[in-house]
Amino acid sequence: MNRLRLCLALICLFAPATAPGGAWPRGEGLGFASVTTRITDGTLPTAPRVRHSVYLAYGLTERIGLTVEVDLAGGRVPKALGLYTLSLLPRDHPWKLSLALGGGTLNGTPAISPRFTLGRGFTVFGTAGWAEAALAGEFTRAAGGQAGKLDLTLGLSPTPRLRSYVQVFAYQSFAGPRFIRAETSLAYRVHRRVWFDVGVSTGITPVRDHRLKLGVWTAF
């Protein structure tokens, strides 16, 4: 619990402005892509040391979009999902609320994933920021193949070229332990539409491993 309190405190202290989060609609004809690599410290010898993820989002209309998420680790594809997203509030509303429904595979098994995401931008001491909560379910036909996820994000954008943000990830499978980890990241814009993203994360429970994150974002 002490580590969890520390991570939540860091969120309040360090947290990038409107992020590439699911609550914010892209807008018609606008897209976003990111490629991320995470390198573990080897705490779990049997787990892959390097994990890659690809995220693509594209706006079909002002409030409807498509998202693709793919994870790769140890020569396998643990996740490959395509999602249809719907923003439930007007684009200029201060709150951002979206629903998504997707399908694909999780660990090689056909799966569906419904999602609910809530976010809001804010300004604190003249600095723009955002907060977002994403609740997701994962359902497969495998034994114990049902799980719930909660991702919390809080960030600040101290300058137009710099974003710092902290995230807490919680995952609970139907028949397994609850996993919680926290990650703090710093993103820097190197081009009008390109950002470099660097971060570190720590497992809180049940595994206390550490990971280095290296990523690239782009908008199109």
Side-chain angles (χ1 to χ4, degrees):
M1 285 301 295
N2 288 336
R3 285 199 175 194
L4 179 57
R5 293 192 185 102
L6 175 60
C7 291
L8 294 176
L10 288 173
I11 289 177
C12 297
L13 290 174
F14 295 104
T18 300
W24 277 263
R26 291 288 149 209
E28 184 176 358
L30 300 178
F32 174 88
S34 69
V35 178
T36 304
T37 295
R38 287 179 171 87
I39 305 170
T40 71
D41 63 359
T43 298
L44 295 175
T46 58
R49 292 292 302 272
V50 179
R51 304 166 187 263
H52 306 285
S53 61
V54 178
Y55 176 91
L56 300 171
Y58 185 77
L60 299 177
T61 71
E62 288 299 309
R63 295 168 64 175
I64 296 174
L66 297 176
T67 300
V68 175
E69 299 177 0
V70 179
D71 290 351
L72 302 98
R76 298 174 56 249
V77 182
K79 178 173 72 172
L81 294 175
L83 299 108
Y84 177 91
T85 63
L86 173 64
S87 178
L88 301 181
L89 297 173
R91 190 174 179 83
D92 58 354
H93 197 283
W95 286 94
K96 308 301 178 182
L97 179 64
S98 71
L99 295 177
L101 180 62
T105 62
L106 293 171
N107 295 313
T109 303
I112 60 173
S113 178
R115 302 184 182 183
F116 174 85
T117 308
L118 177 67
R120 181 173 178 132
F122 59 85
T123 302
V124 55
F125 300 117
T127 300
W130 81 95
E132 182 177 280
L135 181 64
E138 296 179 349
F139 302 94
T140 73
R141 299 184 64 181
Q146 297 78 42
K149 297 171 59 180
L150 176 63
D151 298 345
L152 302 175
T153 303
L154 186 61
L156 292 175
S157 185
T159 75
R161 302 188 68 174
L162 184 66
R163 293 179 180 180
S164 64
Y165 60 105
V166 177
Q167 296 173 289
V168 174
F169 308 106
Y171 175 88
Q172 174 71 65
S173 65
F174 179 76
R178 180 182 296 113
F179 289 85
I180 301 176
R181 69 182 304 109
E183 184 172 76
T184 181
S185 304
L186 189 68
Y188 183 75
R189 191 175 68 186
V190 296
H191 185 268
R192 186 169 63 93
R193 294 186 175 183
V194 179
W195 296 71
F196 283 163
D197 186 28
V198 179
V200 293
S201 69
T202 181
I204 298 172
T205 183
V207 179
R208 297 185 177 181
D209 64 326
H210 299 87
R211 299 176 186 176
L212 171 67
K213 179 183 72 172
L214 303 171
V216 179
W217 307 343
T218 186
F220 54 91

